[in-house]
Amino acid sequence: MELLKAIEGIRTPFLDIVFGIITRLGEQTILIVVFCVLFWCINKKMAYIMGVVFFMSSLVVQGMKIIFRVPRPWITGYPDFRPVGDALPEATGYAFPSGHTQNAAAYLGSLGATLKQLWAKVILFALPVIVAFTRMYLGVHYLSDVIASLVITFVLIFIATKVIADDAVCKKRELVIALVIVAVSIVVIVIAALRYHGVVGQASEARQLRDATRAAGAAIAFAIGYYIERMYIRFSVKTKNIWFQILKFVIGLGMTMGIQEGARVLGDSLVPDAFRYFLMVVWIMIVYPVIIKKFFSIKKEE
């Protein structure tokens, strides 16, 4: 807490704006956009690595959040400590580990690990560290929160780049990867259910568990989609020209956001909310790839 108080002392209106912008690199919408353009239009192997890293790290981080239940700094910190106001709406759930840091490390670090240029690697691995600092500057996370997220995600990046080492499809490998993600998702769902009903320790509110169940629902859809696309769909990211690529991306992303928002009619409790994210990822990983293969792809990629 002393570190956060020291960082609070350097706050200025200008830095509040700058770090408020930088911290958005860890927001979910940016990650979705980057993953979709990579998966549908550029390089599926890179997208697979990014997806495995993101969903596994998200499950681990969200699982740890609801296990340890560390309150945010302004709840347990000094009475006069206040976070930067604009950061509060996105600071949901528990503090440890940091979700924003994990998001940024997952997609930026995955890109850094798969690109060959040294300058790109340095920038892409440095950016999540900067995002981690912004979380402390804004007063929404402790140092331990951001360090834990960076370590977890960077370790998973190393593992994923070794496991998904080439473009050749291996049925056993793809099945194992998918089953591991599903298994970890089920564990997170069980922990969330036990916490919600107060079976293990004091019961947690639904809003504190929502991010964990969303992650689990989306991760299960990704695991299913990963296996089905790798084994059966196998669409090509190539199209006739750049305009087809743009059209393909705009249609796909528009439907993705439409599902994310439209499925809110199902309700906002834990199960419907998790199912909403499940549907969104099913669209990204299964339904739209089938459409791409039929209407956009010009030849098989693999």
Side-chain angles (χ1 to χ4, degrees):
M1 192 65 207
E2 293 297 333
L3 176 60
L4 294 190
K5 289 293 290 183
I7 296 175
E8 184 184 27
I10 68 171
R11 288 180 186 170
T12 67
F14 175 73
L15 289 179
D16 289 353
I17 295 173
V18 171
F19 288 133
I21 293 172
I22 294 174
T23 205
R24 292 185 180 279
L25 289 172
E27 289 186 359
Q28 181 188 90
T29 301
I30 296 179
L31 188 151
I32 292 173
V33 171
V34 172
F35 177 82
C36 287
V37 72
L38 195 64
F39 182 56
W40 296 332
C41 305
I42 300 176
N43 188 307
K44 288 195 295 181
K45 177 190 170 184
M46 292 173 66
Y48 292 140
I49 292 173
M50 182 184 295
V52 169
V53 170
F54 168 69
F55 284 106
M56 283 299 295
S57 61
S58 182
L59 288 169
V60 173
V61 164
Q62 295 301 329
M64 291 175 68
K65 277 180 179 285
I66 60 177
I67 289 174
F68 294 105
R69 299 192 298 177
V70 177
R72 295 283 178 169
W74 65 87
I75 298 176
T76 58
Y78 290 92
D80 60 340
F81 180 77
R82 294 291 182 271
V84 176
D86 291 345
L88 285 175
E90 293 295 326
T92 59
Y94 298 108
F96 177 82
S98 166
H100 270 68
T101 304
Q102 170 260 318
N103 285 348
Y107 78 91
L108 293 170
S110 295
L111 285 175
T114 51
L115 293 177
K116 296 181 179 180
Q117 298 86 349
L118 179 60
W119 64 268
K121 290 179 178 292
V122 171
I123 292 174
L124 289 168
F125 275 101
L127 282 174
V129 178
I130 297 173
V131 170
F133 178 78
T134 68
R135 304 310 289 165
M136 294 187 292
Y137 174 90
L138 296 172
V140 293
H141 280 292
Y142 296 104
L143 177 62
S144 57
D145 302 341
V146 299
I147 288 179
S149 289
L150 289 173
V151 170
I152 290 167
T153 311
F154 287 160
V155 167
L156 285 168
I157 288 172
F158 175 80
I159 295 172
T161 53
K162 299 299 181 183
V163 173
I164 309 175
D166 53 54
D167 294 325
V169 175
C170 173
K171 185 175 182 178
K172 182 177 180 180
R173 180 188 62 195
E174 317 310 346
L175 182 60
V176 169
I177 292 173
L179 290 177
V180 168
I181 296 173
V182 171
V184 178
S185 300
I186 292 173
V187 170
V188 171
I189 291 172
V190 171
I191 294 173
L194 294 176
R195 285 296 191 192
Y196 183 69
H197 294 290
V199 176
V200 179
Q202 184 179 358
S204 297
E205 297 178 9
R207 64 183 179 84
Q208 300 284 11
L209 304 175
R210 185 169 287 114
D211 289 343
T213 53
R214 282 177 178 175
I220 290 173
F222 173 80
I224 296 171
Y226 171 85
Y227 183 77
I228 291 176
E229 201 291 316
R230 287 284 275 173
M231 298 306 304
Y232 304 108
I233 303 175
R234 302 179 68 182
F235 73 97
S236 171
V237 299
K238 298 178 181 179
T239 59
K240 294 180 180 180
N241 53 54
I242 186 63
W243 298 110
F244 268 71
Q245 288 283 37
I246 294 172
L247 178 63
K248 176 175 67 175
F249 174 69
V250 169
I251 292 173
L253 186 64
M255 280 297 300
T256 300
M257 297 307 176
I259 293 171
Q260 185 183 35
E261 294 302 316
R264 290 183 186 275
V265 298
L266 298 173
D268 60 356
S269 59
L270 291 180
V271 174
D273 205 42
F275 187 61
R276 177 165 66 95
Y277 276 75
F278 176 88
L279 290 177
M280 182 179 70
V281 179
V282 165
W283 162 261
I284 294 172
M285 297 296 300
I286 302 176
V287 179
Y288 199 49
V290 171
I291 295 173
I292 291 173
K293 186 174 182 178
K294 183 173 180 60
F295 296 104
F296 292 98
S297 295
I298 58 176
K299 64 180 180 179
K300 291 184 178 180
E301 184 179 45
E302 298 175 347

